[in-house]
Amino acid sequence: MAPRAISKAGDGDTVFAMPLRYGDDALLWAAWLYYEEGLTQSDIAEKMGLSRPSVNAYLADARTRGIVNIEIDPDKFRTLSIAQALRDHFGLQDCLVIPTDGGDRPLIARLGAAGAQALTRFVKSGDTLAVTWGRTVLALAEALDHPGLQDVRVIQATGGTTAKIPWTPEACAARMAEALNARSIPISAPAIVSSAVMRSMLMQEPVLAEQLAILAEADRIVMGISSLRPESTIHTSGFLEGGVQHAHYQDAVGSIVGRFIDARGEPVIGPMHERTIGIDLAALRRIPQRIAVAGGVDKVAAILAALRGGHANVLVTDAVTGRGILTAEGYKDAPRRAVPSQAPLPARNHVKKLINAPKDAVDEALKGALLAHERLIMALPDTPRAIVAKDGPRAGKVGIVIGGGAGHEPSFWGYVGRGLADAAAVGNLFASPPPGPILAATQFADRGAGVLYIYGNFSGDVMNFDMAAELAAEEQIAVRSIITTDDIASSPVESRAARRGVAGNVFIFKIAGAAADRMMPLDTCESVVRRANARTYTMGLALEPGSPPETRRPSFDLGPDEIEIGVGVHGELGVVRQKLISADESADLLLDRILAEMHPSEGDQVAVLVNSLGSTPAMELYIILRRVRQRLKARGIGVHSCLVGPYYTSLDMAGVSLSLLHLDPELAALLEAPCRSAALTLP
Amino acid sequence: MTQLDAQQVVFLFRVIARRLADARVELGALDGAIGDADHGTAMADGFAMVVQSGAEAAARGTAAGDLFAVAARAFLNAVGATSGPLYASAFMRAGQRFAGQTTIAAEELPAIIGDFAEGIADRGKARPGDKTMMDVWAPAARAASLAAEGPLARLDRAVVAAEGGRDATRAMAASVGRAARLAERSLGHVDPGAASAAIIIAALRDGLAPHLSGGHN
């Protein structure tokens, strides 16, 4: 069917001329009239001289032939496909997935609303509905409003808990009963009693026995799922009284209805089992419909366990959590549909590199650097990974020791010299140096005024520098440590201390070197460098991954037109991946994030570093700098100085990082003080 | 009761080193998914140095029980990184158990799983569920400490617990270490530190099994 041209109308003899612009494509004409001009199918039928069923068939044909593409909103598609995959994978009766980001409303409130929506769908007159407790369950009860049913009973699934929290079993059940116009039935006992004997005694009380009998008749249950992570509300509920600290519960990953399950969903039976009053897991399984409402990344393991154990058969969760559960089960995102794309780039097994044996790359590069800059730096005898300044260290001056993994060249040896660091310890590729070279560097740099360590915030660096500091303390060397945290993509502002230290280190090293060079005492050096760290902000983006010499393979995958925002200097994945954008848009993206945290006032001064992550050329860096300067000028912010180039790289990663140091008069003076090193020299 | 001398303890280290060397690329790939791809190299190089230094020390006449302290220093100085201090602390803790002994009873060696777990926990401060190597070491240590079973049976249980712990990290969101910031994106990936820990425990079991079979369990 669906002729390419219409010579004869379906329901008459009239021949309708198709406007030229549709060529001879009647399907396109029909589709245009329907989707663009908004005509009804009857109107179109009249206009085209067809029957209405023919128009309908044309439109269907237009879709199958790809003339019309109808797209479901990507967010909705995503939640729907996750819900479907969860339902299929775990054999659920039903599953509802909501978007994780929902504007101003917190996730728990939105999960509660979604749970209420689901419950409204299921609950019927005459039902007995069991209810657990917790924040999400209370949010559900608060969002619920479904009073039109008859003879519904709502019963607590467990005994009571401390009244110190708003989401007690009593409150959750009472609230839900109110919303359903139902009778609320409590469990007139604590959820956890002091002994098994006490429990048996209580269970014989007629009132409690009657309540528990009603619980056993439940048609459905609405329940939360608790993780046992330290931040979980289960620890503040008074439900556990520290019970889970007990060795019996170390295999438990989650809690439902006040009972504990391991990663496979098997019950974890410990001493609390015989002291708990309420439904147990076996009785739970006898309830026909078990609706779990839970979300949050920390709950993935617990929800997964509950699903694996078959404890829930309806799940209400959010997209990120749902996807986490699925990926943990080995599920991969299916492509939305077969998208015709350009032929893939010819596969290459290895990135080309100028190296000898990969394992020698770090040492050979270091030897080359020492030769290139032999007037400035040298390795300590017997400690080739401790690089020290030939000029600079002197009696009474605070020693500055920096360091970290190799792969960031010219960091760290490039910042060793007069007016900068006195020594640097260099580790293997992207790996912290061990305490040995750090200690050797410390001994060299100590000239009686103490030593300041400055290094980026990575757990390996922290442990190794801490161990070196402990060893130095045994030798009566005063050591202070500044752990740099300039990478604003790596953690939210509330947990700034958790952020990584990246290219902004260059400014921080400079400030420290100048402070020490001015013979400031250790306390003063420490406080000024802390201030510099607090006022330094970096944000980076990657265009292409780098590849380590050992594997000669990209350390992560980026699509042909994708960029990674907030990438780490070791190729750690960033915070978000998006389509390639222009240089100005990139500069704006980086700068906007920085300014949003820096809050500079008009007239403030900043120093700017536009840093290549390795293979991005100077040309592109200057394009970025140009835009950054335009924007800063428009904001009324003065630029004290600019650094543009490969100052703190990540092997051959393509991309750029932008660092701003928010200056004050003292920091500005220290920044412009003279220095002389392989990577940074100021007259 | 089979006693292991210094050479045999070094051989045990060698079994572990070989398994880690075989897994170098695979561990690096896991790490690349959520970290920076150095873990395979760090573990393989670290244990290679443990074997080398251990063999040299044994040749000099170092007692079997003192090889753990030698291993700690060798691992730390070879690796640095994150695993360096953690496994150095692990070896140090095990070394305290056997310090000065010229030979070590094979039946005693499963206990080092608990020592490793304690040493790593003290240094790294990771908690269960943080998606780290502790999610393998802690359950393996519990399994290995079950009383009333022979040493081989305890090792077998430790291996099973280690594999379970390793697989459970898939469902965890990283909350310490370099992968932490990736919390959500780390979901679905096995933690590389957990994977290498499971390799070590399995290698330990296989290396010790010949000394433990024949009626000793």
Side-chain angles (χ1 to χ4, degrees):
Chain A
M1 57 188 263
R4 306 305 290 168
I6 301 167
S7 54
K8 189 165 175 272
D11 48 0
D13 290 329
T14 326
V15 174
F16 289 80
M18 179 161 43
L20 189 61
R21 59 186 176 276
Y22 302 108
D24 61 354
D25 196 340
L27 299 183
L28 180 58
W29 187 19
W32 182 270
L33 294 174
Y34 187 71
Y35 291 105
E36 290 300 319
E37 299 194 0
L39 301 189
T40 64
Q41 296 192 8
S42 317
D43 293 344
I44 297 168
E46 196 173 317
K47 199 159 184 162
M48 291 179 73
L50 296 169
S51 68
R52 201 184 157 285
S54 299
V55 171
N56 193 285
Y58 275 33
L59 292 173
D61 228 28
R63 285 181 57 188
T64 50
R65 297 200 182 189
I67 294 169
V68 173
N69 281 306
I70 296 179
E71 280 212 45
I72 300 173
D73 168 68
D75 284 343
K76 296 206 162 64
F77 181 88
R78 188 161 175 263
T79 53
L80 189 62
S81 63
I82 292 168
Q84 213 144 0
L86 284 166
R87 206 192 59 186
D88 295 347
H89 186 85
F90 294 102
L92 301 175
Q93 289 178 2
D94 216 332
C95 180
L96 176 60
V97 175
I98 61 167
T100 300
D101 297 315
D104 299 339
R105 291 182 69 206
L107 181 61
I108 286 181
R110 290 184 299 111
L111 279 171
Q117 187 193 335
L119 184 61
T120 304
R121 180 83 56 85
F122 295 124
V123 68
K124 296 194 171 43
S125 290
D127 270 359
T128 299
L129 179 67
V131 178
T132 70
W133 53 280
R135 279 184 215 246
T136 318
V137 173
L138 185 62
L140 187 157
E142 281 173 348
L144 189 66
D145 182 21
H146 193 57
L149 301 172
Q150 306 295 317
D151 305 322
V152 175
R153 294 185 296 185
V154 172
I155 182 157
Q156 276 176 234
T158 66
T161 63
T162 174
K164 286 183 199 135
I165 48 168
W167 45 83
T168 58
E170 299 87 334
C172 290
R175 195 66 189 251
M176 197 165 295
E178 198 183 321
L180 292 170
N181 194 21
R183 192 151 67 88
S184 181
I185 299 160
I187 296 288
S188 305
I192 306 286
V193 295
S194 50
S195 68
V197 176
M198 175 61 79
R199 177 175 177 269
S200 333
M201 282 168 60
L202 281 171
M203 301 276 275
Q204 283 158 26
E205 287 293 326
V207 169
L208 188 57
E210 183 193 317
Q211 292 164 343
L212 291 170
I214 294 172
L215 181 56
E217 293 171 5
D219 303 287
R220 306 168 214 289
I221 181 167
V222 173
M223 55 191 180
I225 297 177
S226 179
S227 95
L228 298 181
R229 304 283 303 142
E231 59 275 18
S232 158
T233 53
I234 199 165
H235 295 286
T236 53
S237 66
F239 193 94
L240 301 175
E241 307 158 17
V244 283
Q245 307 304 332
H246 197 280
H248 284 93
Y249 293 106
Q250 285 178 332
D251 286 325
V253 300
S255 171
I256 44 175
V257 297
R259 311 283 173 167
F260 297 89
I261 51 175
D262 68 14
R264 295 184 310 280
E266 302 289 332
V268 175
I269 306 292
M272 303 237 296
H273 185 71
E274 291 301 321
R275 289 170 43 204
T276 305
I277 294 180
I279 197 163
D280 64 17
L281 292 173
L284 174 66
R285 290 292 290 273
R286 289 194 287 271
I287 298 180
Q289 187 172 54
R290 307 178 293 279
I291 305 165
V293 186
V297 166
D298 61 310
K299 291 197 182 196
V300 168
I303 301 170
L304 176 60
L307 295 177
R308 281 177 176 163
H311 303 296
N313 56 15
V314 175
L315 176 67
V316 178
T317 190
D318 66 285
V320 166
T321 307
R323 193 171 176 284
I325 292 165
L326 289 167
T327 47
E329 287 282 272
Y331 165 93
K332 298 262 186 299
D333 277 333
R336 293 195 55 176
R337 65 169 68 103
V339 184
S341 66
Q342 313 94 316
L345 294 172
R348 218 183 329 155
N349 286 332
H350 291 291
V351 175
K352 295 171 205 155
K353 287 198 178 284
L354 291 173
I355 51 171
N356 301 306
K359 66 176 174 44
D360 296 332
V362 170
D363 284 312
E364 288 177 353
L366 193 51
K367 281 184 186 132
L370 290 167
L371 290 167
H373 309 291
E374 56 195 339
R375 284 197 279 191
L376 297 171
I377 49 176
M378 61 180 186
L380 283 179
D382 306 323
T383 315
R385 297 292 187 87
I387 311 301
V388 301
K390 289 192 170 174
D391 179 25
R394 54 198 187 272
K397 187 183 94 67
V398 168
I400 305 292
V401 172
I402 62 175
H408 306 302
E409 292 72 17
S411 213
F412 294 89
W413 47 258
Y415 304 103
V416 175
R418 191 171 180 111
L420 276 158
D422 297 289
V426 179
N428 289 332
L429 186 74
F430 293 163
S432 166
I438 304 172
L439 181 63
T442 310
Q443 290 159 338
F444 172 86
D446 174 42
R447 302 297 161 108
V451 172
L452 196 58
Y453 287 173
I454 306 170
Y455 56 91
N457 186 25
F458 298 97
S459 52
D461 293 295
V462 174
M463 282 192 280
N464 285 284
F465 273 89
D466 278 354
M467 289 173 95
E470 288 162 21
L471 297 169
E474 286 172 20
E475 299 181 18
Q476 268 71 51
I477 302 175
V479 172
R480 306 280 172 79
S481 296
I482 308 262
I483 303 172
T484 63
T485 52
D486 56 306
D487 183 0
I488 64 175
S490 54
S491 208
V493 65
E494 309 84 72
S495 48
R496 167 139 198 165
R499 288 180 173 175
R500 303 172 300 205
V502 290
N505 274 346
V506 174
F507 288 139
I508 299 163
F509 296 159
K510 175 69 186 75
I511 298 293
D517 200 49
R518 291 189 172 183
M519 306 303 277
M520 291 179 180
L522 187 57
D523 282 343
T524 317
C525 284
E526 184 189 354
S527 76
V528 73
V529 177
R530 275 196 201 290
R531 198 167 83 240
N533 178 47
R535 295 170 72 93
T536 301
Y537 305 84
T538 299
M539 180 90 190
L541 64 84
L543 308 174
E544 299 289 347
S547 13
E550 190 80 43
T551 62
R552 289 195 287 143
R553 286 171 193 280
S555 59
F556 56 97
D557 296 317
L558 265 182
D561 53 356
E562 277 182 330
I563 60 173
E564 180 97 16
I565 313 291
V567 71
V569 282
H570 307 100
E572 303 98 322
L573 296 178
V575 283
V576 61
R577 193 165 275 206
Q578 65 170 67
K579 290 266 181 229
L580 179 61
I581 48 179
S582 70
D584 285 0
E585 287 169 320
S586 301
D588 288 352
L589 191 151
L590 301 178
L591 187 64
D592 288 344
R593 281 287 300 268
I594 290 174
L595 291 179
E597 282 204 17
M598 186 190 268
H599 303 302
S601 308
E602 208 172 327
D604 282 2
Q605 293 276 306
V606 297
V608 178
L609 165 60
V610 177
N611 172 56
S612 168
L613 292 175
S615 63
T616 290
M619 175 190 272
E620 294 170 30
L621 302 180
Y622 283 108
I623 294 173
I624 298 281
L625 179 82
R626 166 196 134 277
R627 176 63 179 172
V628 170
R629 294 289 304 255
Q630 283 175 351
R631 291 284 318 277
L632 290 173
K633 186 172 178 215
R635 186 65 79 92
I637 299 166
V639 175
H640 171 278
S641 50
C642 297
L643 297 174
V644 179
Y647 282 90
Y648 205 97
T649 60
S650 180
L651 290 172
D652 51 347
M653 193 192 294
V656 64
S657 70
L658 174 66
S659 302
L660 259 58
L661 168 56
H662 192 185
L663 292 166
D664 58 27
E666 186 185 30
L667 292 177
L670 292 169
L671 190 67
E672 65 198 31
C675 67
R676 186 166 158 76
S677 76
L680 191 61
T681 295
L682 294 179
Chain B
M1 187 181 286
T2 311
Q3 293 286 328
L4 270 62
D5 63 14
Q7 296 291 352
Q8 287 166 309
V9 170
V10 172
F11 183 79
L12 197 57
F13 293 162
R14 202 185 293 278
V15 174
I16 298 171
R18 204 171 288 156
R19 298 279 179 88
L20 288 167
D22 289 346
R24 180 192 292 254
V25 173
E26 175 195 330
L27 291 172
L30 286 178
D31 200 20
I34 60 174
D36 61 24
D38 73 346
H39 187 70
T41 299
M43 292 306 293
D45 290 356
F47 267 88
M49 277 310 292
V50 164
V51 171
Q52 190 185 323
S53 306
E56 285 166 15
R60 285 195 307 271
T62 301
D66 294 333
L67 287 175
F68 290 90
V70 171
R73 278 193 298 278
F75 195 96
L76 186 56
N77 285 319
V79 172
T82 314
S83 29
L86 294 175
Y87 277 103
S89 304
F91 275 116
M92 291 300 288
R93 187 64 60 97
Q96 289 163 9
R97 178 184 295 272
F98 302 119
Q101 295 185 24
T102 49
T103 63
I104 300 173
E107 287 77 1
E108 299 280 317
L109 275 164
I112 70 171
I113 295 176
D115 298 336
F116 269 47
E118 284 174 25
I120 290 166
D122 284 356
R123 177 60 66 182
K125 311 273 186 287
R127 296 162 306 194
D130 281 346
K131 194 181 182 94
T132 69
M133 60 175 80
M134 275 317 291
D135 290 310
V136 165
W137 283 109
R142 288 199 296 280
S145 70
L146 289 178
E149 285 199 90
L152 192 58
R154 282 187 281 143
L155 283 170
D156 286 340
R157 281 182 181 280
V159 170
V160 172
E163 287 167 354
R166 175 197 64 201
D167 294 343
T169 63
R170 250 182 223 289
M172 296 174 190
S175 52
V176 294
R178 203 175 268 164
R181 196 186 36 75
L182 300 169
E184 163 196 337
R185 283 163 73 166
S186 71
L187 283 169
H189 295 283
V190 164
D191 178 68
S196 62
I199 291 171
I200 293 170
I201 291 162
L204 188 67
R205 184 252 170 235
D206 294 349
L208 277 173
H211 304 292
L212 293 171
S213 49
H216 286 292
N217 52 342

